[in-house]
Amino acid sequence: MVRKGRKLPPKNKLLVEGAEDKRVIPYLIEANGVRWGESQEEAIVFIEVCGSKTELLDKDGISTELQESGLSALGLIVDADDKPKDTWQSIRNACSSIGDFPKNLPETGLIHNTNSGVKFGVWMMPDNKTCGMLETFLTYMIPDENEPIWNYAKTTVIEAKNLGAPFIGNHIYKANIHTWLAWQNPPGRQLHNAVKEEILNPKHPQAQIFINWFKKLYDL
C-alpha cells in the first residue's frame, strides 16, 4: 500500500474498504466538533482505502501497519454486510497475533492496547452487531421528521426490485439511501455532501456511539 502526498509516516491511521468511507468520515468528524485539517498532510487521521474486505483483513498487512514507525493508533472500519458474526470472526482471525479479542464485538466498538503501545481499534459498520454497511450507518442520521419519506423510499425500492431492478440484494442499503437522497433539496447529493450540508444529521444521537469510538481511539 503506497501513500501519496504525505512526507512523514502518520501518527494516526485508519484502514477502510472503499473510497466512500474516506470521503464521508472527515465531514462526519468535523461536524461533531473536531477539526480535520485542510489537506492530507494536515489531517488528524490518515485514511487509506484498501479496496476490498479481503485486502483490508490481510493478516500480514495489519501486522506490518502496526510496526510502522511513529504510529500511535490504527483503526479498521469493515462492513458487516449480510453476516456480521462471520465478518467479526474474519476480523478476529486476521488480528489473532495482536490479541485475544472477545467472541462478540462490543457494541461500542473495539479498542485494544497492543504490547507495543499502539492503540488498535475496530468498528464494524453499521453498529457492530447488525447487517449492513456504511450506507446503513448513514441512514441512522436521517432526520426524524423525514421518517415518513424514508419509509416510503424503502417501500419503493422493494417495489422496484420486484419489478426487475437489477441491483443485487446486498446493495439494498445503497438503493434505499440514494432513493431517499433523490427526493431531497437539492436532489441526489453524494453521501459526503449530504453529511457536509446536513441533509443527513451528523449529530444524530444514533451516530454518537461511532463518534465516541473514533475520538477515543485517536485521543481527539
Side-chain angles (χ1 to χ4, degrees):
M1 302 177 194
V2 179
R3 288 188 301 277
K4 297 180 180 179
R6 190 159 195 141
K7 296 179 181 179
L8 297 174
K11 174 184 175 182
N12 295 323
K13 191 168 185 178
L14 176 65
L15 306 181
V16 299
E17 288 187 53
E20 202 67 78
D21 303 80
K22 184 174 182 176
R23 288 190 286 265
V24 166
I25 289 170
Y27 287 120
L28 179 59
I29 298 303
E30 280 213 325
N32 283 276
V34 179
R35 184 179 179 277
W36 188 267
E38 296 298 323
S39 67
Q40 185 167 268
E41 186 70 30
E42 298 174 346
I44 55 171
V45 177
F46 181 87
I47 302 179
E48 183 161 313
V49 177
C50 295
S52 70
K53 186 177 295 181
T54 299
E55 186 169 350
L56 193 158
L57 295 181
D58 178 75
K59 188 172 185 177
D60 293 336
I62 293 172
S63 179
T64 299
E65 293 283 359
L66 285 169
Q67 294 171 29
E68 190 166 290
S69 175
L71 186 70
S72 293
L74 177 68
L76 306 183
I77 293 181
V78 186
D79 289 340
D81 294 324
D82 58 346
K83 295 181 178 179
K85 290 185 178 180
D86 289 353
T87 298
W88 174 234
Q89 186 57 53
S90 295
I91 296 169
R92 291 181 73 202
N93 292 342
C95 302
S96 59
S97 63
I98 301 171
D100 185 17
F101 293 170
K103 183 177 181 180
N104 297 308
L105 177 58
E107 292 187 15
T108 54
L110 176 80
I111 295 179
H112 174 79
N113 293 309
T114 67
N115 292 334
S116 64
V118 175
K119 293 172 72 176
F120 179 76
V122 177
W123 183 276
M124 188 169 66
M125 287 289 179
D127 56 14
N128 299 310
K129 59 183 179 180
T130 55
C131 299
M133 52 187 61
L134 172 69
E135 286 81 0
T136 316
F137 171 72
L138 293 177
T139 66
Y140 299 167
M141 302 179 209
I142 291 175
D144 294 343
E145 61 270 21
N146 256 255
E147 195 69 21
I149 298 174
W150 168 237
N151 289 331
Y152 183 57
K154 290 188 288 184
T155 299
T156 301
V157 168
I158 292 172
E159 291 174 352
K161 185 63 173 174
N162 291 337
L163 289 171
F167 65 86
I168 63 173
N170 194 41
H171 285 173
I172 192 169
Y173 311 105
K174 296 176 184 284
N176 285 340
I177 194 166
H178 285 289
T179 299
W180 178 82
L181 284 170
W183 299 341
Q184 303 307 303
N185 184 23
R189 300 300 277 166
Q190 294 185 46
L191 297 176
H192 63 283
N193 284 326
V195 173
K196 180 182 178 181
E197 298 165 18
E198 299 194 4
I199 296 170
L200 294 166
N201 177 11
K203 296 181 181 178
H204 196 286
Q206 291 196 60
Q208 295 310 302
I209 298 175
F210 171 79
I211 298 298
N212 292 338
W213 169 82
F214 194 93
K215 289 180 176 179
K216 184 177 179 181
L217 175 61
Y218 296 113
D219 293 320
L220 302 175

